[in-house]
Amino acid sequence: MKTYFIIYLLVTLLHFVLCCEDETHYKKNDKCCKKCGPGKRMMMDDNCEDPHCQDCQIGEYQSGYTTNTKCLRQPSCDTNLHFKPQDDKPITTRLNKCVCESGYYCTLDDDCSACREHSVCKPGQRVAKKGSPESDTVCEACKNGTFSTHGSVDTCQEWTKCDNGYDQNTGSLTSDRICLGSPVHRVVTGIIVGVLVLGVIVALVVYFKKSKKKQGWKEVNDEFPNENPNVKGLNIMKHQDEDVERAHQPLRQPEEDVDNSGPVSPTPSNMTENGNVVDQEHGKEHIISTTESNSYPYQ
């Protein structure tokens, strides 16, 4: 009998321990009660063994199992201080921390109370480590033989390598090497190119002059096809002089025809059968014909 009692106590104690797990349960009046899960809060005066839990609202959170009747408030991230929420979507199951926006950072050493702008690497430096919301940008100087002219570059450029025959100066961390002077073969090449260009220009000038001269002789041949070339040239000059003289002469008005003829005496040659005088035409005037009347008396 004693053995059965001990076994009963052990089973009861084990059941009580398993039911009242610290994370998900709590003890109330010697009872093992359930807690509300993450993202929820417990209603007041609720049932111990089967509580009614309500979801936290936007801007609130509950990160674990709880018996609290209120959710915790999410932190307010002030955008004027370059803060923003860590997650853009609303979260009710955990704390949504404030982080610095792009180009700014804050450290845990000062509890991330203020955002500071990332450092900008200067010319002559390169970015060794890019900045993050929790750390600043790390810059380092360019190595010997390299340079950078702009800030915040990832890599430095190597100095220019000069060919044989060039004089060169030493570059710096912020400027490239400059190659001075020019080799002899480049000078010779430049002279040859210049001579060729000049020759082409002279050839074009000569060509256009010959073409213009041929065009002038062609016009002469078209006007005087059967004459000697020397005579053709003289004729062209003669015609040109005549045209010039004609252009300088004043214009002459056309003379009007003057009719100096007087009246015609009647003669047998200029009279009609009826005894009328025949009128002569005067210049370009038009004579209107008239009907002759009979001069014979009625019988």
Side-chain angles (χ1 to χ4, degrees), residues 252-265:
R252 296 181 179 178
Q253 298 294 334
E255 297 181 357
E256 297 182 357
D257 295 334
V258 180
D259 188 6
N260 296 323
S261 62
V264 180
S265 301

Side-chain angles (χ1 to χ4, degrees), residues 6-198:
I6 294 174
I7 294 174
Y8 175 75
L9 290 176
L10 292 175
V11 171
T12 303
L13 181 62
L14 181 61
H15 175 72
F16 183 79
V17 172
L18 292 175
C19 290
C20 289
E21 186 180 358
D22 292 338
E23 183 179 1
T24 59
H25 293 77
Y26 69 100
K27 295 179 183 180
K28 183 179 180 181
N29 299 328
D30 296 333
K31 291 183 180 180
C32 185
C33 301
K34 292 182 179 179
K35 295 180 181 180
C36 291
K40 298 179 181 296
R41 69 182 182 90
M42 185 175 289
M43 302 295 292
M44 296 181 65
D45 299 331
D46 202 358
N47 187 3
C48 171
E49 296 179 354
D50 188 16
H52 288 83
C53 300
Q54 188 178 20
D55 293 334
C56 295
Q57 297 181 358
I58 297 176
E60 299 178 341
Y61 77 100
Q62 189 61 255
S63 59
Y65 289 89
T66 184
T67 59
N68 294 330
T69 57
K70 293 182 178 180
C71 295
L72 301 175
R73 296 287 300 177
Q74 292 281 12
S76 178
C77 302
D78 191 353
T79 56
N80 295 325
L81 299 177
H82 306 290
F83 280 107
K84 69 174 184 177
Q86 185 175 4
D87 296 303
D88 296 333
K89 295 181 179 180
I91 296 176
T92 59
T93 58
R94 62 176 175 82
L95 175 64
N96 192 7
K97 297 180 179 180
C98 294
V99 295
C100 296
E101 63 184 18
S102 179
Y104 293 83
Y105 76 101
C106 63
T107 61
L108 298 178
D109 297 337
D110 56 4
D111 198 20
C112 203
S113 59
C115 291
R116 289 171 286 186
E117 191 173 2
H118 284 150
S119 299
V120 178
C121 297
K122 300 178 181 179
Q125 297 178 336
R126 75 175 191 89
V127 177
K129 182 180 179 182
K130 292 185 178 181
S132 67
E134 296 85 19
S135 61
D136 191 12
T137 302
V138 178
C139 304
E140 69 177 10
C142 295
K143 296 180 180 179
N144 187 25
T146 62
F147 73 101
S148 65
T149 58
H150 300 85
S152 297
V153 295
D154 294 334
T155 58
C156 298
Q157 299 179 0
E158 294 185 359
W159 290 346
T160 300
K161 295 181 179 179
C162 299
D163 297 334
N164 294 330
Y166 280 99
D167 294 331
Q168 60 187 22
N169 68 340
T170 302
S172 64
L173 297 178
T174 58
S175 62
D176 192 10
R177 173 187 291 161
I178 299 176
C179 300
L180 304 174
S182 59
V184 177
H185 66 88
R186 297 199 176 204
V187 175
V188 174
T189 303
I191 295 174
I192 294 174
V193 172
V195 172
L196 291 176
V197 172
L198 182 61

